[in-house]
């Protein structure tokens, strides 16, 4: 049985989901941020063709920007089109920006986008996570041990 969605989550249309982020990072806290978009970006997002898999958020001059998110050009808006991978400003309150900057600078956290969606009022929102990188398991040692055990078995078998 699927878990029930809250009424807040039921009314949103998810455009892009970063599933890899929950695997690669330990999520500490999440918050919702608005996106500053141009007209053609909104139209392209509504078509549902954007990705945030390789994106991250960073600070510049006291503001938070979404970097490396891909919103493809809108085909019908040829002359006034946007750059597909331009930095997009996140709309946050000053207090939220202070909290994020403290987490980045003091604690060494990373700002990772989780979901890009339209809320029930039709506004583009980004679910942003304050995350810590997981310590990935080093496979090289286990591979070396496995190869040595295999080689040792062959040597013992051949001598006997």
């Amino acid at each position: 049985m699927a878990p029930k969605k809250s009424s807040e989550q039921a009314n949103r249309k998810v455009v892009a989901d970063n599933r890899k982020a929950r695997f690669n990072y330990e999520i500490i806290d999440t918050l919702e941020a608005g996106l500053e978009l141009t007209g053609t970006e909104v139209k392209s997002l509504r078509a549902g063709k954007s990705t945030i898999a390789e994106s991250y958020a960073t600070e510049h001059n006291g503001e938070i920007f979404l970097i490396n998110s891909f919103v493809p050009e809108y085909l019908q808006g040829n002359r006034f089109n946007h750059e597909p991978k331009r930095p997009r400003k996140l709309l946050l309150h000053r207090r939220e920006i202070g909290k994020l900057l403290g987490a980045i600078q003091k604690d060494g956290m990373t700002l990772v986008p989780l979901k890009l969606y339209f809320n029930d009022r039709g506004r583009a929102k980004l679910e942003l996570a304050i995350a810590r990188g997981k310590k990935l398991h080093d496979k090289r040692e286990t591979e070396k041990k496995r190869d040595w055990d295999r080689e040792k078995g062959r040597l013992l078998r051949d001598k006997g």
Side-chain angles (χ1 to χ4, degrees), residues 79-96:
R79 189 166 145 226
F80 301 107
N81 246 331
H82 60 274
E83 284 289 318
K85 285 200 168 196
R86 77 171 182 88
R88 291 168 180 86
K89 182 179 171 184
L90 297 181
L91 305 174
L92 295 162
H93 293 285
R94 194 174 307 241
R95 183 178 230 164
E96 292 173 328

Side-chain angles (χ1 to χ4, degrees), residues 106-159:
K106 287 187 236 169
D107 303 332
M109 300 289 181
T110 306
L111 299 179
V112 181
L114 298 177
K115 286 183 184 173
L116 181 61
Y117 60 92
F118 286 100
N119 65 3
D120 57 344
R121 295 176 65 184
R123 303 230 167 102
K125 299 288 184 175
L126 180 76
E127 186 178 347
L128 192 64
I130 301 172
R132 180 182 304 128
K134 286 184 181 175
K135 188 171 182 176
L136 298 175
H137 180 67
D138 190 7
K139 293 182 184 177
R140 292 175 294 192
E141 288 300 317
T142 58
E143 288 174 359
K144 285 180 191 176
K145 184 177 182 327
R146 183 190 64 210
D147 291 344
W148 170 243
D149 289 342
R150 186 179 298 148
E151 190 66 30
K152 187 170 63 173
R154 285 185 191 142
L155 290 172
L156 291 174
R157 202 176 29 229
D158 291 342
K159 284 189 174 190

